Amino acid sequence: MTTTEQQNHRSRLPNPAVLVPELKDIGGALYKATGNGTIPQTTISLVQLRAGQIAGSTYLTVLHTGNLRKAGATEESITAVASWRDAPYFTDAERVALELVESVLTPIPSGERVPDELYARASQHYDDKALATLIMAIGQVCFFLPLALIGKPLPGVSPAEQWRE
């Protein structure tokens, strides 16, 4: 195995929750906020999977694919997240949630990332608390995105094995 291959089989950082213990409290608070029952877990995981795909994070993509499976999503819907616009597997509410996360994470040359029209459509599917929860779900994955991209935890292994010692 080459040095590059060896480096690809371990994270760049040791466990950040050990380095910065407050991270556990922040992560726990975000998990509690998004788990308040106003948004189905499948919708939260769809949004977070799409964020991982947009950012190009294997760790987040594997993590949220697993979360979708645990939440009971079909393999067809999981596979189709990247091409959700023309896939028949999503509800209108899920589609607007996916459009919101794409709008937040995808730069556009001009105009607002989240135009009033998109917000209005989201408001048709989600009341104020649910919409705030959806926003927190997007914020939750965005909060952990730098750790995933910079720290490179190992995907698909237990949390104890994700970080180098």
Side-chain angles (χ1 to χ4, degrees):
M1 184 178 290
T2 68
T3 303
T4 302
E5 288 172 332
Q6 288 172 344
Q7 289 172 343
N8 287 336
H9 293 299
R10 67 184 189 124
S11 68
R12 291 178 180 156
L13 275 177
N15 188 337
V18 173
L19 298 171
V20 183
E22 298 82 1
L23 184 60
K24 289 179 185 177
D25 295 333
I26 295 166
L30 288 169
Y31 182 78
K32 184 177 178 183
T34 61
N36 65 25
T38 61
I39 301 285
Q41 184 57 51
T42 51
T43 303
I44 290 170
S45 293
L46 285 170
V47 163
Q48 294 180 337
L49 171 56
R50 187 66 187 123
Q53 290 172 337
I54 292 167
S57 169
T58 300
Y59 173 78
L60 290 174
T61 301
V62 170
L63 174 68
H64 295 297
T65 296
N67 289 345
L68 278 164
R69 285 188 179 111
K70 287 177 195 166
T74 66
E75 287 302 311
E76 292 85 2
S77 67
I78 294 168
T79 303
V81 169
S83 58
W84 65 268
R85 289 182 188 272
D86 64 358
Y89 308 110
F90 305 104
T91 66
D92 289 342
E94 290 169 337
R95 288 177 184 287
V96 79
L98 289 163
E99 189 173 351
L100 278 171
V101 72
E102 282 190 2
S103 294
V104 168
L105 292 175
T106 307
I108 58 171
S110 62
E112 286 186 274
R113 285 191 186 195
V114 182
D116 290 341
E117 177 273 328
L118 175 54
Y119 184 86
R121 282 191 291 115
S123 295
Q124 291 172 355
H125 296 281
Y126 302 103
D127 65 20
D128 288 342
K129 183 175 180 177
L131 192 52
T133 302
L134 182 57
I135 293 165
M136 291 303 102
I138 294 168
Q140 179 183 31
V141 72
C142 289
F143 178 81
F144 288 104
L145 191 57
L147 278 176
L149 294 174
I150 298 167
K152 289 187 80 172
L154 298 178
V157 297
S158 73
E161 299 174 288
Q162 292 171 354
W163 303 101
R164 73 172 165 84
E165 299 299 317

